[in-house]
Amino acid sequence: MRASIALILLIAARGAAAHMDISVLTKFIVNLVGTNEAIIFSCSDKDLQLVASAFMKNDQFVNYVHMKQMYSLPFILGRNSHGRTSVIVNTRCNGAAGLLADASANKYFNKTYQWVFWGVGVEVKYLLPLELDYIGPNAQITYVNKTSNDYCLWDIHSKGRHLQSPLQLQLIATVTNYEGSSYLNIARDIFKLQSTEYRGQFNGITLRGASVIDQEDITTNEQIEAILSRSTKDSGVAAFIKYHYELVGLLRDRFNFSVNFRNSRGWAGRLGNTTFRLGLLGVVKRDEVDIAASGSLNRLNRFAEFDTIHQSWKFEAAFIYRFTPDLDTHGKSGNFLAPFSKEVWFLILVSLIVFSVIWVLFEIINSKLSPTNDPNDQINNMPDTESQKCYALTIQSSWVESFLQSFAALCQQGLDPIPKDHSSRFVVITIFLFSLVIYNYYTSSVVGGLLSSSDKGPATVDEITSSPLTISFEDIGYYKVLFRESKSPAVARLIKTKLSSSRPLGKIPVFAHIEEAVPYIKSGGFAFHCEVVAAYPLIAELFDASEICDLREVSGLMEVELLNWILPKNSQYTELFKVAMCSARERGFVERLLRQRQIRKPTCQSLYTVYPVTLSGALAAFFVLICGIIMSILMLSIEIIYVYVVFKRGQQFSIVR
């Protein structure tokens, strides 16, 4: 017995002649569908007693709702039960027509429920008129009629009653009553008759389709098919649109149906402040189409409105631009000050000054402690006034030379003359060791920066906004919806900075086609936002090897996600198409289409790229050079003035004396 739950809706016959045969119902419940729960809707207390007694003898749970009382079919069929639900209807009972109409309107003729129509004395064409349009290939309906000796159980479905498709009947079994006993003769397995394999032939029926082509005057099915069937990129057509069109082709070949497409200029949107959906999502939600050649972004509110039958297309849209040295957002292109921060440079300068001061102090102390070894012994033999002058000049020279020699040691330029005292030599060795360590850190940072040159350029949407790049977007509707409805601060800054001002004639507009934008990307100074797989073929055709290595992509404006292939909620084709797409994925058909449609990014084949040093990067070097020259001139001027003043005072002192 199947571990499924059966909800049995029993509507008893009108009068004594309308009673249903309990043995037929028992054979259906126990031997065909194998349920273990029964809810009886009856307008006859006698039928209630007979059916309830027979079902409970077969370990069936029975729940009863009287047909003449008020009841809600959505509440009853929406109860928390798992597995299949069987619904048995005596079509001769009052209210049966309204019950079937309510079930069709709420799309209850689906894989969740097993329906049995007790149709003795009622023809199928009157039982299921065209007004009951939700009878499709997912219907699980069993129709019971009677011949002279037997009860016949028929499987009923159609390929789309809403498309005027005829009903198809297949004999499931017969029940024969003989000498007080009933005998079940199974002709076909009911679950095989209701399977995707058996119902996978649509016999050329034409389904209603929809797609999105953002072009003027595209209205007929022939125009839509001609555009979507082309392998090349078309303006106003997203790359995933043509991919899903080819998936529709897989289903067309599998189930043998055709599609009459209608065009929607956009995907989403709402009418004013209402809940009325516009675009492709609107026509799918209102059940105006059976299949859509398009994907849908994942949104929480859409799962309650649409069925998803497949996910395979990775939607990835980004800014694409070519890196040039002027786009170095961190200001490190060729800047020799970049490896160290300002604090490190400041500490190096302070350390240099401290070393020079210590060196000079050591020189003075040593000259005081050992005057006989002073190389300037002639100063001691001079008169007092001249000795003081020369000693002052010697001290000044010692300060300047110590600073210059310390700077030369830091730059690893050697030292001449070499100090004779041990303390000064130790200071010099310390400076050389300090210089060695600093130089290693410096060169390692420079080499590491060169090796990681692929990280250069704007890397976020905000950096794109603040960069000198001119930006444009592919001329497709979802960008216009994004700019109109998005509340993101990054999008608001982008619109205010890059898109609010008008552009001169001859310059690429804000919304452009990929064919127009790729040459601008090649020339540099331009970023184009589009679905990246749509731009790769043209890039591979127009760019050379070094230019391909300069390409950069910046995502973040739109999320990277798998698109949902959607159908109307509780569509009669959901189960069949979902099973078919799982089979197509397992057999490799989906992977083949993805390889054809999702072109990979062209590979960078250049070993390295040499970027010229920009003026902003080399400006610090010129600044140091100019400052050094100015300092030299100032020092020379100070020395001249100082010597002039000292000697002039000496001459005046000699004259007075």
Side-chain angles (χ1 to χ4, degrees):
M1 180 180 295
R2 291 178 176 271
S4 58
I5 300 178
L7 168 64
I8 300 180
L9 173 62
L10 178 61
I11 304 179
R14 185 188 315 158
H19 293 315
M20 294 180 289
D21 193 306
I22 304 303
S23 63
V24 176
L25 298 181
T26 305
K27 293 295 182 182
F28 175 80
I29 294 298
V30 176
N31 300 103
L32 289 180
V33 295
T35 58
N36 54 14
E37 183 178 355
I39 298 178
I40 303 175
F41 288 81
S42 176
C43 53
S44 170
D45 294 335
K46 184 177 181 180
D47 276 347
L48 170 62
Q49 297 174 359
L50 294 175
V51 174
S53 176
F55 283 178
M56 285 189 290
K57 289 180 180 179
N58 290 279
D59 298 326
Q60 300 291 316
F61 176 79
V62 178
N63 188 13
Y64 170 67
V65 178
H66 201 285
M67 188 75 173
K68 294 181 180 180
Q69 297 177 354
M70 295 294 295
Y71 68 92
S72 172
L73 187 63
F75 175 78
I76 296 170
L77 297 184
R79 53 199 300 273
N80 293 327
S81 59
H82 303 278
R84 288 192 179 90
T85 300
S86 283
V87 180
I88 302 177
V89 180
N90 189 329
T91 57
R92 297 182 62 184
C93 186
N94 287 336
L99 174 66
L100 298 184
D102 194 14
S104 176
N106 289 280
K107 299 183 178 181
Y108 289 138
F109 297 136
N110 55 39
K111 289 290 185 182
T112 306
Y113 311 99
Q114 284 281 0
W115 292 80
V116 176
F117 296 159
W118 188 268
V120 177
V122 182
E123 296 185 22
V124 174
K125 63 180 180 180
Y126 300 115
L127 179 64
L128 299 174
L130 288 174
E131 287 76 14
L132 302 181
D133 57 359
Y134 190 77
I135 299 178
N138 68 329
Q140 298 185 147
I141 299 175
T142 301
Y143 166 71
V144 181
N145 66 357
K146 186 179 181 182
T147 62
S148 57
N149 299 319
D150 303 324
Y151 288 97
C152 298
L153 283 71
W154 302 86
D155 174 68
I156 297 179
H157 78 281
S158 77
K159 306 307 179 185
R161 198 64 170 162
H162 63 295
L163 301 174
Q164 313 296 317
S165 177
L167 296 173
Q168 299 183 15
L169 280 72
Q170 294 291 334
L171 181 64
I172 301 172
T174 60
V175 178
T176 304
N177 293 324
Y178 180 72
E179 295 182 355
S181 299
S182 59
Y183 301 92
L184 177 66
N185 303 309
I186 300 177
R188 295 181 180 87
D189 184 2
I190 185 173
F191 297 109
K192 185 175 182 180
L193 289 176
Q194 295 172 353
S195 66
T196 303
E197 179 182 359
Y198 185 81
R199 297 184 177 181
Q201 174 56 255
F202 282 19
N203 301 318
I205 191 174
T206 301
L207 301 185
R208 304 167 301 169
S211 189
V212 179
I213 300 177
D214 195 4
Q215 296 182 14
E216 298 287 345
D217 301 327
I218 303 297
T219 56
T220 65
N221 179 66
E222 291 74 15
Q223 291 175 314
I224 297 173
E225 293 263 13
I227 293 175
L228 298 184
S229 60
R230 286 197 289 264
S231 59
T232 56
K233 181 74 171 68
D234 286 273
S235 60
V237 182
F240 62 84
I241 290 291
K242 293 194 173 185
Y243 169 73
H244 285 88
Y245 174 78
E246 296 206 24
L247 293 183
V248 172
L250 289 179
L251 295 180
R252 286 197 290 194
D253 295 338
R254 167 65 179 83
F255 294 102
N256 186 24
F257 64 84
S258 59
V259 181
N260 184 27
F261 285 100
R262 60 184 288 185
N263 185 31
S264 298
R265 291 294 299 273
W267 282 268
R270 296 186 185 274
L271 184 62
N273 295 324
T274 67
T275 60
F276 187 84
R277 283 192 177 274
L278 303 174
L280 178 75
L281 297 182
V283 298
V284 174
K285 180 185 177 182
R286 293 188 295 274
D287 210 358
E288 298 176 8
V289 297
D290 302 309
I291 192 168
S294 175
S296 171
L297 297 174
N298 289 284
R299 299 293 183 268
L300 290 178
N301 61 341
R302 295 180 183 177
F303 290 102
E305 300 176 347
F306 307 100
D307 285 343
T308 299
I309 62 173
H310 184 66
Q311 286 182 322
S312 60
W313 183 270
K314 182 181 178 182
F315 178 76
E316 185 176 4
F319 284 106
I320 302 177
Y321 68 93
R322 183 186 171 198
F323 175 76
T324 51
D326 60 307
L327 294 178
D328 188 3
T329 56
H330 302 289
K332 296 183 179 180
S333 178
N335 190 347
F336 77 97
L337 295 178
F340 292 151
S341 64
K342 296 179 181 179
E343 292 79 6
V344 176
W345 286 114
F346 178 76
L347 287 176
I348 291 175
L349 181 60
V350 171
S351 301
L352 180 64
I353 295 173
V354 170
F355 283 136
S356 301
V357 171
I358 293 174
W359 194 350
V360 172
L361 291 177
F362 285 170
E363 291 286 346
I364 295 173
I365 293 172
N366 289 327
S367 64
K368 291 291 186 180
L369 294 178
S370 53
T372 57
N373 298 327
D374 194 288
N376 300 317
D377 290 335
Q378 64 272 19
I379 298 179
N380 299 324
N381 300 321
M382 293 182 180
D384 293 340
T385 305
E386 294 183 4
S387 175
Q388 292 176 0
K389 296 176 186 176
C390 292
Y391 185 75
L393 290 175
T394 302
I395 295 298
Q396 181 191 18
S397 175
S398 178
W399 278 92
V400 175
E401 288 182 1
S402 297
F403 180 79
L404 293 177
Q405 288 177 347
S406 299
F407 187 78
L410 185 65
C411 296
Q412 296 186 340
Q413 298 300 311
L415 191 64
D416 186 40
I418 299 176
K420 293 182 173 57
D421 55 281
H422 297 289
S423 58
S424 298
R425 288 186 177 185
F426 189 79
V427 171
V428 171
I429 293 175
T430 304
I431 294 175
F432 276 119
L433 182 60
F434 174 75
S435 172
L436 177 64
V437 175
I438 292 295
Y439 185 77
N440 285 336
Y441 278 113
Y442 183 88
T443 54
S444 300
S445 178
V446 171
V447 173
L450 293 175
L451 293 178
S452 62
S453 59
S454 58
D455 296 333
K456 294 179 179 178
T460 64
V461 175
D462 286 334
E463 290 181 358
I464 288 284
T465 302
S466 59
S467 71
L469 289 168
T470 301
I471 65 172
S472 290
F473 297 83
E474 187 177 3
D475 193 7
I476 289 186
Y478 51 72
Y479 286 115
K480 300 166 187 176
V481 175
L482 173 69
F483 296 149
R484 184 174 64 250
E485 299 183 356
S486 177
K487 296 179 176 59
S488 170
V491 175
R493 285 192 297 268
L494 181 69
I495 295 174
K496 181 179 179 180
T497 306
K498 295 290 188 180
L499 308 180
S500 58
S501 60
S502 60
R503 298 189 177 182
L505 294 176
K507 200 170 185 179
I508 189 168
V510 173
F511 296 102
H513 302 306
I514 292 181
E515 295 81 0
E516 303 171 353
V518 171
Y520 283 89
I521 299 175
K522 178 182 174 70
S523 61
F526 176 78
F528 187 67
H529 199 284
C530 64
E531 196 173 358
V532 292
V533 296
Y536 288 158
L538 279 174
I539 289 174
E541 180 181 350
L542 298 178
F543 282 49
D544 58 30
S546 62
E547 292 170 342
I548 290 176
C549 296
D550 294 339
L551 281 179
R552 302 289 186 270
E553 295 178 7
V554 177
S555 58
L557 190 63
M558 303 184 71
E559 296 181 3
V560 178
E561 57 184 307
L562 288 176
L563 296 184
N564 295 327
W565 192 11
I566 60 173
L567 294 183
K569 192 65 178 179
N570 296 324
S571 169
Q572 53 196 281
Y573 303 107
T574 296
E575 291 293 333
L576 271 70
F577 289 172
K578 186 181 294 185
V579 172
M581 290 311 303
C582 289
S583 176
R585 183 191 290 273
E586 292 173 355
R587 297 179 182 181
F589 295 116
V590 174
E591 181 66 23
R592 178 175 61 88
L593 291 179
L594 284 174
R595 289 183 179 180
Q596 292 175 352
R597 288 294 178 181
Q598 286 191 329
I599 308 299
R600 295 183 180 275
K601 181 179 179 179
T603 305
C604 174
Q605 298 178 352
S606 179
L607 295 178
Y608 59 88
T609 302
V610 178
Y611 297 106
V613 178
T614 61
L615 180 60
S616 60
L619 189 61
F622 288 104
F623 178 77
V624 171
L625 177 62
I626 295 173
C627 289
I629 294 174
I630 294 175
M631 288 293 294
S632 300
I633 296 174
L634 289 176
M635 292 176 66
L636 177 61
S637 302
I638 292 172
E639 289 178 355
I640 293 174
I641 294 172
Y642 183 81
V643 171
Y644 175 78
V645 171
V646 170
F647 279 95
K648 189 173 182 180
R649 287 182 179 178
Q651 291 176 0
Q652 292 176 354
F653 180 77
S654 300
I655 294 172
V656 171
R657 190 175 58 177

